[in-house]
RNA sequence: GUGGUUGUAGUUCAGUUGGUUAGAACGCUGGAUUGUGGUUCCAGAGGUCGCCGGUUCAAAUCCGGUCUACCACCCCA
């Protein structure tokens, strides 16, 4: 071995054992999505840079993986641009494609492109990898999967309610205890308006978002550093201090924001949504959290974030409503709302809490030991019968030593082994061994199929 | 992108002030056991000490660079 092969920074290989676990997550999520009438789509790994650039802010543009043009791309660069050594200008001349950064923007592009074929409201789900040229850390990768559900072309808050139900359903099935935090961008905008800093909504929300992490004092400090007036910060304090149930907070906000039209709109939306939610039978806790901001700046209404209760990990699911995502692609006034499940983080939570199921549909249930040609011929029809009955079964492909074959079954966690040699053939039977208990018994082909089915 | 920590058999880690042939455990392979794995016993294989360069008579050990994983910031799933 001269040089060990490797994979790019922040990417991962998945072993069979890991894939079984990952598929468990993806399968339960898909199952729930279908239950609510969502249908799958897929989009290409790469998009034109023109559809990607400028959608995630300046920071996002930097984190996009760009793909070099084919052919002799350098020859086509004009001499002055080449001489300038300006990365941004040069990039635009040597790269026109990039890897997708999330699933929402490609979805918006998809909706605009096929608007005449799509029946609205359009409910789709999409489970695919996305790429970000971020610096990796634990639980943060350069290639990771997102599981998105969105409904586009409907303003009804019933959609928001159903998303909450989906969250409850998914994490209920995965047996993760969660808290769903909900806020509304219109309320945040209203707050900015009331304290006289309408222009600084983004700075204010980004700062407020850190309240839980860095504390009130540092939040105030950051606000004044960003240029928010002392007076405005003063006015913000009682709002940050709001306490009580979600309904109580909403009542108080209604009074505080009475002078702001958008603020009141947001309060009304939250009233309706929480009224819906109040009538649901949920396991998950749901609360209004005014400090929830969420980074992506295309959200315009409700915003969601889900945290696992017993695991020290960031949010495992998040999303919100965006009123005009398709506008940038030339289709205005189409509102959508959606959420995204973070598969890698859910994986980490399930690992931490040891919640992966022991049994899996993806592993072998029974293995036939191979004793030679005559014995193979005796086993093969039964093997086929088992598979017809949907029993995952295999025969060891070689007449290897018993020890090697048993070891193979053991390493693969195969719960049953069938031994059929000369004596079994003479009796017309099979020896079925339970690998966990070590117990074995002599059975007919019919009994064998019955036991394992 | 900025700052920091890290790297030694497949894995987890020892390795003295720089000094001869770099160790252990687990795992792996073979045997004890020719129809019985997961337990036990015995034997064996496996390393350009992340990579490149420098200092030195001599480098796993000191210095620089680079890559990787990780940590904080930024941002985010």
């Amino acid at each position: 071995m001269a040089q060990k092969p490797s994979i790019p920074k922040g990417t991962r290989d998945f072993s069979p054992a890991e894939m079984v676990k990952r598929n468990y997550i993806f399968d339960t999520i898909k199952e729930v999505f279908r239950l609510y009438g969502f249908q799958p789509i897929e989009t290409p790994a790469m998009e034109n840079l023109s559809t990607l650039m400028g959608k995630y802010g300046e920071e996002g543009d930097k984190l996009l993986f760009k793909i070099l043009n084919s052919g002799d791309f350098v020859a086509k660069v004009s001499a002055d641009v080449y001489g300038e050594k300006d990365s941004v200008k040069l990039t635009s001349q040597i790269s026109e494609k990039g890897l997708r950064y999330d699933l929402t923007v490609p979805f918006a592009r998809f909706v605009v492109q096929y608007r005449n074929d799509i029946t609205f409201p359009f409910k789709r789900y999409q489970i695919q990898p996305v790429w970000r040229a971020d610096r990796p850390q634990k639980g943060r990768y350069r290639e990771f999967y997102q599981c998105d559900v969105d409904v586009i072309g409907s303003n009804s808050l019933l959609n928001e309610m159903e998303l909450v139900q989906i969250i409850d359903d998914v994490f209920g099935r995965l047996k993760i205890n969660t808290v769903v935090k909900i806020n509304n961008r219109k309320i945040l905008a209203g707050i900015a308006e009331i304290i006289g800093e309408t222009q600084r909504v983004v700075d204010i929300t980004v700062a407020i978002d850190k309240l839980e992490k860095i504390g009130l004092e540092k939040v105030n400090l950051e606000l004044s550093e960003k240029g928010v007036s002392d007076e405005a910060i003063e006015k913000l304090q009682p709002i940050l201090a709001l306490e009580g149930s979600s309904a109580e907070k909403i009542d108080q906000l209604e009074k505080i924001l009475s002078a702001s039209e958008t603020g009141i709109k947001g309060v009304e939306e939250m009233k309706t949504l929480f009224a819906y939610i109040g009538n649901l039978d949920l396991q998950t806790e749901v609360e209004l959290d005014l400090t929830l901001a969420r980074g992506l700046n295309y959200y315009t209404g409700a915003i969601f974030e889900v945290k696992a209760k017993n695991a020290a990990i960031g949010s495992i699911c998040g999303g919100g409503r965006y009123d005009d995502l398709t506008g940038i692609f030339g289709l205005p006034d189409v509102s959508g709302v959606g959420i995204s499940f973070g598969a890698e983080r859910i994986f980490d939570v399930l690992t931490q809490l040891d919640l992966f199921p022991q049994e899996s549909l993806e592993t072998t249930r029974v293995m036939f030991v191979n004793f030679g040609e005559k014995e193979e011929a005796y086993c093969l029809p039964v093997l086929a019968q088992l598979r017809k009955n949907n029993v995952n079964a295999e025969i060891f492909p070689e007449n290897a030593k018993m020890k090697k074959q048993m070891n193979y079954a053991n390493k693969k966690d195969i719960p049953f082994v069938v031994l059929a040699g000369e004596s079994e053939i003479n009796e017309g039977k099979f020896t079925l061994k339970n690998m966990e208990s070590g117990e074995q018994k002599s059975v007919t082909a019919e009994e064998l199929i019955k036991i394992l089915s």
Side-chain angles (χ1 to χ4, degrees):
Chain A
M1 232 187 330
Q3 221 174 351
K4 282 182 190 171
S6 62
I7 54 174
K9 184 206 287 244
T11 63
R12 292 154 301 157
D13 290 319
F14 299 111
S15 67
E18 288 167 317
M19 280 313 295
V20 166
K21 292 178 173 180
R22 287 174 68 82
N23 284 341
Y24 165 67
I25 296 173
F26 292 136
D27 290 344
T28 48
I29 288 175
K30 273 186 220 165
E31 224 171 276
V32 174
F33 288 172
R34 289 193 206 110
L35 221 44
Y36 288 78
F38 289 85
Q39 293 185 301
I41 69 160
E42 286 200 4
T43 62
M46 57 182 126
E47 292 277 348
N48 293 326
L49 274 183
S50 55
T51 86
L52 260 20
M53 296 286 280
K55 308 301 188 297
Y56 311 102
E58 207 179 310
E59 196 67 28
D61 285 354
K62 283 187 203 157
L63 298 179
L64 282 171
F65 276 107
K66 290 152 193 111
I67 297 169
L68 242 27
N69 291 342
S70 313
D72 190 1
F73 52 85
V74 174
K76 295 174 187 162
V77 178
S78 54
D80 49 330
V81 169
Y82 197 79
E84 266 181 77
K85 293 199 170 177
D86 182 323
S87 299
V88 178
K89 276 189 188 167
L90 184 62
T91 301
S92 67
Q93 298 211 2
I94 62 176
S95 168
E96 54 189 19
K97 297 178 291 295
L99 295 176
R100 73 165 101 77
Y101 180 89
D102 72 357
L103 300 177
T104 309
V105 167
F107 175 51
R109 189 222 84 220
F110 182 96
V111 169
V112 173
Q113 209 172 321
Y114 302 103
R115 60 177 120 177
N116 295 324
D117 309 317
I118 291 171
T119 313
F120 293 99
F122 182 41
K123 301 170 81 172
R124 75 88 230 227
Y125 72 85
Q126 188 172 359
I127 299 179
Q128 288 190 278
V130 303
W131 294 268
R132 293 183 189 178
D134 209 355
R135 185 177 286 207
Q137 275 180 42
K138 200 179 191 73
R140 293 179 69 167
Y141 305 95
R142 292 184 140 184
E143 178 186 62
F144 61 95
Y145 277 72
Q146 288 191 329
C147 314
D148 275 32
V149 242
D150 293 80
V151 39
I152 197 158
S154 163
N155 291 309
S156 169
L157 289 161
L158 202 61
N159 298 306
E160 272 86 341
M161 180 204 80
E162 286 213 321
L163 290 176
V164 172
Q165 273 184 296
I166 287 176
I167 291 169
D168 184 63
D169 213 336
V170 166
F171 291 117
R173 283 166 194 240
L174 294 175
K175 301 191 171 55
I176 300 177
N177 290 320
T178 51
V179 193
V180 181
K181 303 198 172 198
I182 303 180
N183 197 5
N184 193 298
R185 270 289 162 87
K186 294 192 181 81
I187 290 180
L188 292 170
I191 291 172
E193 196 180 322
I194 291 299
I195 65 171
E197 294 279 359
T198 314
Q199 301 306 312
R200 290 214 166 78
V201 202
V202 175
D203 286 341
I204 292 169
T205 54
V206 166
I208 292 178
D209 191 38
K210 294 176 186 164
L211 188 62
E212 203 179 317
K213 200 174 168 188
I214 63 174
L216 184 61
E217 263 178 55
K218 285 189 178 167
V219 168
N220 289 338
L221 188 72
E222 184 168 326
L223 283 170
S224 78
E225 274 172 4
K226 285 271 164 65
V228 178
S229 73
D230 291 351
E231 201 187 337
I233 294 175
E234 193 61 37
K235 279 188 187 166
L236 187 63
Q237 301 309 303
I239 299 172
L240 293 181
L242 274 188
E243 275 180 9
S245 69
S246 299
E248 287 164 0
K249 284 187 205 163
I250 291 173
D251 280 347
Q252 296 174 66
L253 274 175
E254 197 165 18
K255 290 177 197 124
I256 296 170
L257 297 178
S258 58
S260 160
E261 201 182 315
T262 35
I264 283 302
K265 187 104 197 306
V267 171
E268 290 303 326
E269 286 179 15
M270 287 299 96
K271 257 191 182 174
T272 312
L273 180 55
F274 274 91
Y276 272 135
I277 292 171
N279 290 325
L280 299 176
D281 181 25
L282 300 179
Q283 292 176 282
T284 309
E285 216 175 288
V286 183
E287 63 176 44
L288 178 71
D289 183 352
L290 290 176
T291 70
L292 174 63
R294 292 204 50 86
L296 295 170
N297 34 26
Y298 45 65
Y299 293 128
T300 51
I303 42 185
F304 306 95
E305 194 159 288
V306 183
K307 288 196 166 161
K309 267 184 180 172
N310 311 315
I313 224 158
S315 69
I316 51 178
C317 175
R321 178 170 285 276
Y322 36 90
D323 283 334
D324 198 30
L325 189 65
T326 56
I328 35 178
F329 296 120
L331 182 64
D333 303 322
V334 177
S335 183
V337 59
I339 49 171
S340 179
F341 289 78
E344 334 291 335
R345 287 194 178 173
I346 293 172
F347 186 97
D348 288 346
V349 171
L350 290 175
T351 306
Q352 267 182 40
L353 303 178
D354 195 24
L355 288 174
F356 281 109
Q358 287 291 308
E359 302 250 329
S360 165
L361 298 171
E362 298 192 54
T363 49
T364 302
R365 187 156 163 76
V366 57
M367 184 198 85
F368 285 70
V369 171
N370 191 324
F371 286 115
E373 267 177 54
K374 227 169 59 189
E375 291 85 348
E376 273 174 22
Y378 180 67
C379 292
L380 255 21
V382 186
L383 186 61
Q385 272 300 314
L386 281 166
R387 290 171 178 156
K388 264 188 191 152
N389 283 284
N390 271 323
V391 179
N392 298 356
E394 60 181 302
I395 180 166
F396 199 85
E398 284 164 62
N399 178 11
K401 278 184 189 162
M402 188 69 165
K403 179 172 173 146
K404 181 164 178 159
Q405 300 194 39
M406 293 301 282
N407 204 27
Y408 173 86
N410 200 47
K411 282 280 157 61
K412 248 182 122 172
D413 271 321
I414 298 174
F416 293 99
V417 162
V418 171
L419 301 119
E422 208 179 330
S423 55
E424 280 89 351
I425 295 177
N426 289 339
E427 292 173 40
K429 292 210 168 169
F430 296 85
T431 298
L432 177 65
K433 180 181 173 99
N434 180 322
M435 289 295 279
E436 207 189 330
S437 64
E439 178 195 347
Q440 49 189 68
K441 57 182 165 185
S442 178
V443 295
T444 63
E446 290 72 36
E447 288 169 331
L448 184 68
I449 290 162
K450 207 174 158 192
I451 293 170
L452 295 174
S453 296

